[in-house]
Structures are given as structure tokens and as C-alpha cells.
Amino acid sequence: MSDDCEILLTNDDGIDSTGIRALYDALSEHANVTVVAPADDRSACGRSLSHEVEVDERGLGYAVHGTPADCVVAGLAELGPYPDLVVAGCNKGANLGEYVLGRSGTISAAVEAAFFDVPAIATSLYVPVDDTPFREVDVTAEEYAEAARVTSYFAENALEAGVFDHAAYLNINVPLPDGDPAPIEITRPSKRYEMDAERDGAHVQLHDRVWDDMDPDSLPDPDGTDRRAVVEGRISVSPLTAPHTTNHHEALDALADAYHDAVGPTDDGEQWL
């Protein structure tokens, strides 16, 4: 990565978060970094877009009163130099598994960049927790050091290495630092999904059970998945594509061909099921 490389940096935890500052400091050593990030926490908002957003200028960059996807569109189209790379993060909390790909604001920023044909990296920090509410868990700048280091490494090397000839974006999940640099494992997203709901009067409480079983000794995810790698202390890097590809199905072709035979004529000649 040359010193004139342009990076658009965003996140979903908000422009004042510790994680985005850690990435900014690391990436700025080797690139021109423009920050366009949500003005406040927009976690788990997916690729939600706004028609109009207010923008403030802060010390770190542009604070957008909108979503991470808003930030990417505004950053690419108006607020900053057109980037060579979009980086999203560093998120406080891991983004693991197939089901977060449409839910996470961090991942969604990378996906939004992919639709612009701009390579992207989404980086998240796995933070094991007990019964403490996650919003009350404090993560220090030092604990983002490993995430900042590996993100900077891929930002510096992945473009020239041709990684993005085969992947639209990289989903990187990093364990908390533990002395020596953690090894990297190229992974696939876990298919694990456990959501349920419980009604309490006029309210329905939704529960994400995926995080209830993150014990390395009993982790149900197979080898090669992102969840297993990061829980066991390795850096998970999943090379992913967007938009999603489609598969050819002969069964669907047959249904399409049989459509007109399956509907009957109405009195006025129109076709109805």
C-alpha cells in the first residue's frame, strides 16, 4: 500500500468509539484515511438506508446522522476522495456466522462498498462476556491493538496480492490480544443459528442463543468456521462475495414452464390461480 492510497473508514459503533480510533491511527501510518461514520451507535441496523442525513464535522472526520450504509454512500459519492479501499470497524463484539451478514452494520458497510465495486474489509473484536450487559463492557485502546495490526496488514497487502480479484470483501474477526500475535485462519461463516422468542403480555422478547455456547471445550461449530477459529484464539478471515450468486435449479425451471398450465382462465380472459 502506497502512501497515496485512499481509504474510507467507517463503523457502526459510532464515530466516537475506541475501535474506529484504533483503526484510524494504524491505517493513517500508510494511507490517506477519510472517516465517515455514524454520529452515534447504529449496531445491528443491516443495510438500512436513509433518504437524507445530517452531517457534522468532528475532529476525526464526518459524523453522519444515519447508518453505516449511509456513510459509505455519502463517503463514496460526496464527502471524500474516491477510495481504493473501504474499511469498517473495529466493531466491539464479533460478527460471526452467515446470519450476521445481513444484520451487522459493520458487515453491511463492506457489502455496500462491494456494490460500488470497491474492495472492503470489515473488522470486529471478539469480546467474551459473562452476565454483564454488553453495552457496559469497556474495551480499551490496547485491546484493539491486534485488530488494528491485522487490519493494517491486509489493507497494505491484499490489493496488490490480488485477493479482491476473488473476494468482494474480507470479514475479519480478532480475539483479544494475548501476548504474541495470533495466527490467522482462512474460514467460512458458521451456519449456526438459534433465535427464539418469548411473549410477556404486550411484549415479545427476542433471544439470540448463538452466543450462549461459546465455550472452546464444547463449541458445536466444525473446524474451518469463523466461530471456532476466533473462540480458540485465532484470527478469522472469511473472503466473501456480494452480491450473492444464484444457483440454476431445474425444479424451478419446470415450475416456471408449467405456470400457464396451472392457472385457469377467468370470464374476461385473464389468468388466475
Side-chain angles (χ1 to χ4, degrees):
M1 179 171 62
S2 62
D3 289 340
D4 59 355
C5 178
E6 294 287 348
I7 293 178
L8 173 64
L9 177 61
T10 190
N11 72 346
D12 74 356
D13 287 343
I15 195 168
D16 296 322
S17 69
T18 306
I20 197 170
R21 168 60 76 173
L23 288 194
Y24 177 82
D25 290 344
L27 294 169
S28 295
E29 294 183 9
H30 302 287
N32 299 318
V33 181
T34 301
V35 175
V36 183
D40 50 20
D41 190 341
R42 291 299 181 99
S43 297
C45 66
R47 286 184 63 224
S48 176
L49 284 165
S50 308
H51 294 294
E52 182 176 341
V53 290
E54 184 179 341
V55 180
D56 303 328
E57 290 194 36
R58 304 270 181 93
L60 196 62
Y62 296 99
V64 173
H65 294 263
T67 68
D70 291 334
C71 293
V72 172
V73 175
L76 291 176
E78 178 64 27
L79 294 178
Y82 204 80
D84 302 292
L85 180 71
V86 169
V87 176
C90 180
N91 193 65
K92 185 184 83 170
N95 279 303
L96 302 166
E98 290 183 341
Y99 82 110
V100 304
L101 302 183
R103 183 180 297 178
S104 161
T106 305
I107 303 296
S108 294
V111 172
E112 196 66 38
F115 276 96
F116 282 88
D117 291 324
V118 178
I121 296 173
T123 304
S124 304
L125 181 68
Y126 170 54
V127 183
V129 295
D130 46 27
D131 294 332
T132 305
F134 194 70
R135 289 183 180 276
E136 298 178 12
V137 175
D138 185 36
V139 181
T140 66
E142 291 73 20
E143 289 175 312
Y144 283 105
E146 180 94 272
R149 182 167 54 241
V150 72
T151 303
S152 183
Y153 172 79
F154 278 103
E156 288 181 45
N157 296 284
L159 288 168
E160 292 184 4
V163 168
F164 295 109
D165 294 342
H166 307 282
Y169 66 101
L170 303 179
N171 182 26
I172 301 178
N173 283 275
V174 185
L176 289 169
D178 185 22
D180 295 332
I184 292 174
E185 180 178 348
I186 306 304
T187 58
R188 64 186 184 278
S190 170
K191 295 182 179 296
R192 189 168 182 80
Y193 184 70
E194 290 187 31
M195 291 289 302
D196 63 26
E198 181 180 359
R199 184 171 182 173
D200 180 12
H203 301 277
V204 174
Q205 207 168 36
L206 308 181
H207 303 286
D208 184 346
R209 302 294 187 190
V210 170
W211 302 98
D212 291 347
D213 192 359
M214 299 291 280
D215 183 349
D217 295 330
S218 60
L219 193 72
D221 301 73
D223 290 340
T225 58
D226 50 6
R227 287 182 81 237
R228 176 165 287 278
V230 76
V231 169
E232 292 180 346
R234 298 182 294 279
I235 297 170
S236 166
V237 179
S238 294
L240 301 172
T241 60
H244 303 299
T245 57
T246 57
N247 294 321
H248 181 78
H249 297 284
E250 292 184 2
L252 187 57
D253 289 342
L255 284 177
D257 291 340
Y259 171 71
H260 284 287
D261 293 334
V263 298
T266 63
D267 291 340
D268 57 6
E270 293 185 0
Q271 299 288 315
W272 294 90
L273 289 176

